[in-house]
Amino acid sequence: MTLTKLLSSFGLAYVCYCGCLFLFQRHLIFPRRWIEAPQETPSTSEIEKLWVATSFGKVESWYLPRRANSKETPGPTVIFAHGNGELIDIWPDEFQKLAGRGFGVLLVEYPGYGRSEGQPSQGSITETLVAAYDRLVARPDVDPSKIVLFGRSLGGGAVCALAARRPSAAMVLMSAFTSLRPFARRYLAPSFLLRSPFDNLETVRRYTGPVLVVHGTKDSVVPYDHGVALHRAAKTGRLLSYESDHNDCPPDWDDFFEELERFLRESGVIETEIGVM
């Protein structure tokens, strides 16, 4: 085989490889089919189940009302977006601790995940978060000027997309990436093939509110330097580092929620300690 034919065969194989990655990338970014949704969902009075209407169907969300101070007066609320290999089902126990500190918490599912309709993509996730946000700020127990966006891993991309479309008081990015484009190199593919790039770095550069970046120094999924870059891009930012990997960050959620409350208080998002129950 001549060198020309060899190079042509290699080029054709590479084009086919990139074509397969382009077609199946959503299965890599959003591995929802490998995540089994529980048959039963919590029926506790401490969780309000909401269905968010979108152009592609209904998406599930759970609201955890704040338990400290009066529920009748508007208060701070956190919108949380989880990682790509998770469901909202695994998060109520942790975030009930934050509700006990006086924060309302909205856990938003992704389209096609769990019991929700639709297909996950940057566009459909953004539409879902925007619809959930609009429904949330209409509640009498929510102060629209004290909305905190909190994204973990892929959820960092989700809340950055929301931050570009709706106002918020602060943003928390935990184990988040600058963009998905650098990860295309792991698969030896050009980054322009990505249909859901989630360019978080650009959003953080434009964001005017305070940003808390939380990242594990031993993160083997999203390298620590992504967190450092996000922190440096923020106009008003703080970097909270843990000696942890990706899935065990933070090592202690109680300690982290104390740090989060301190950050929001020092940033002027909340005036005083709003209490622990």
Side-chain angles (χ1 to χ4, degrees), residues 26-27 30-37 51-52 54 56-61 82-89 108-121 123-125 128:
R26 285 184 179 173
H27 296 285
F30 310 107
R32 60 192 175 96
R33 300 190 187 278
W34 290 277
I35 309 169
E36 186 176 353
W51 288 91
V52 179
T54 69
F56 45 82
K58 295 181 179 179
V59 179
E60 193 171 14
S61 65
H82 59 68
N84 69 336
E86 302 166 350
L87 298 173
I88 58 174
D89 302 64
V108 185
E109 194 54 275
Y110 298 145
Y113 274 66
R115 297 157 294 273
S116 298
E117 299 175 339
Q119 301 289 329
S121 68
S124 66
I125 289 174
T128 299

Side-chain angles (χ1 to χ4, degrees), residues 72-140:
E72 285 70 35
T73 57
T77 304
V78 172
I79 299 177
F80 178 72
H82 59 68
N84 69 336
E86 302 166 350
L87 298 173
I88 58 174
D89 302 64
I90 70 173
W91 288 109
D93 287 347
E94 294 294 355
F95 280 94
Q96 288 291 6
K97 301 171 185 177
L98 194 58
R101 291 178 172 273
F103 293 84
V105 181
L106 183 67
L107 308 176
V108 185
E109 194 54 275
Y110 298 145
Y113 274 66
R115 297 157 294 273
S116 298
E117 299 175 339
Q119 301 289 329
S121 68
Q122 182 171 342
S124 66
I125 289 174
T126 302
E127 181 182 341
T128 299
L129 267 290
V130 169
Y133 176 103
D134 291 344
R135 183 168 179 177
L136 180 72
V137 297
R139 296 177 62 101

